[in-house]
Amino acid sequence: MDIRLVLGDITEQRVDALVNAANSSLLGGGGVDGAIHRRGGPEILAECRALRAGRYGGGLPVGQAVATTAGRLPARWVIHTVGPVYSLREDRSALLASCHVEALRVADELGARSVAFPAISTGAYGWPVEAAARIALGAVRNTPTNVEYVSFVLFDTRAYAAFAEACQGTVKEA
């Protein structure tokens, strides 16, 4: 699998599937989640509401993933995953890794060959970006998948630098 780092806006990525750092309600929010819902349009929200009316009536659990249309985004699908809130008292690293593993599992079910990830849980959920980068890259590298191309789309230079440090020259920079 080809893994790349991109400094930019995830909503502009031309890939099969964008991963959304969603909240459990699936109904939009701030950060990446809000940007994806705003740019993707009402089609994404309509499918998220249908998911909430059915299988995910209580919300999407942390570490799991589910797909919807990408609406008006330049992708085919959005894979929503709920990252864990960072905690000093409890190690939630396995849940953060699960977000990446489950997103790749859903991508495989969809037949996606290219996937763009944000830096899950590093915004409002408070995960230190350096630790999140190590967990994310490790999970993606160690997950058997048919996905051929993964990009980590980092919104700012601090996150980009943390991911670049975590990959130590083993991925391509775009």
Side-chain angles (χ1 to χ4, degrees):
M1 168 190 338
D2 184 16
I3 300 175
R4 294 185 184 213
L5 303 181
V6 177
L7 180 61
D9 181 345
I10 196 164
T11 68
E12 297 175 355
Q13 303 307 301
R14 296 189 177 279
V15 293
D16 293 333
L18 296 177
V19 176
N20 180 19
N23 64 51
S24 64
S25 78
L26 294 174
L27 302 179
V32 170
D33 193 20
I36 285 174
H37 275 269
R38 280 189 302 277
R39 179 131 189 239
E43 299 87 353
I44 296 172
L45 183 57
E47 284 194 27
C48 286
R49 284 188 174 140
L51 288 167
R52 285 300 306 270
R55 182 174 178 193
Y56 297 104
L60 183 64
V62 172
Q64 293 190 18
V66 65
T68 65
T69 181
R72 300 172 188 166
L73 294 165
R76 293 182 64 190
W77 302 285
V78 172
I79 300 172
H80 307 267
T81 188
V82 180
V85 174
Y86 181 72
S87 172
L88 289 172
R89 289 181 234 122
E90 179 184 355
D91 182 5
R92 298 178 179 166
S93 300
L95 288 169
L96 183 56
S98 180
C99 292
H100 298 84
V101 171
E102 289 298 305
L104 290 172
R105 179 189 59 76
V106 170
D108 281 343
E109 289 175 359
L110 295 168
R113 294 290 184 240
S114 57
V115 177
F117 282 92
I120 298 170
S121 286
T122 63
Y125 288 7
W127 209 285
V129 70
E130 297 80 8
R134 288 189 301 275
I135 294 165
L137 286 160
V140 167
R141 283 184 185 133
N142 294 315
T143 300
T145 181
N146 292 318
V147 172
E148 297 168 358
Y149 172 82
V150 167
S151 58
F152 284 94
V153 183
L154 297 314
F155 190 70
D156 62 33
T157 56
R158 181 174 172 261
Y160 187 93
F163 272 75
E165 176 69 25
C167 66
Q168 300 175 10
T170 61
V171 303
K172 297 176 184 174
E173 298 181 22

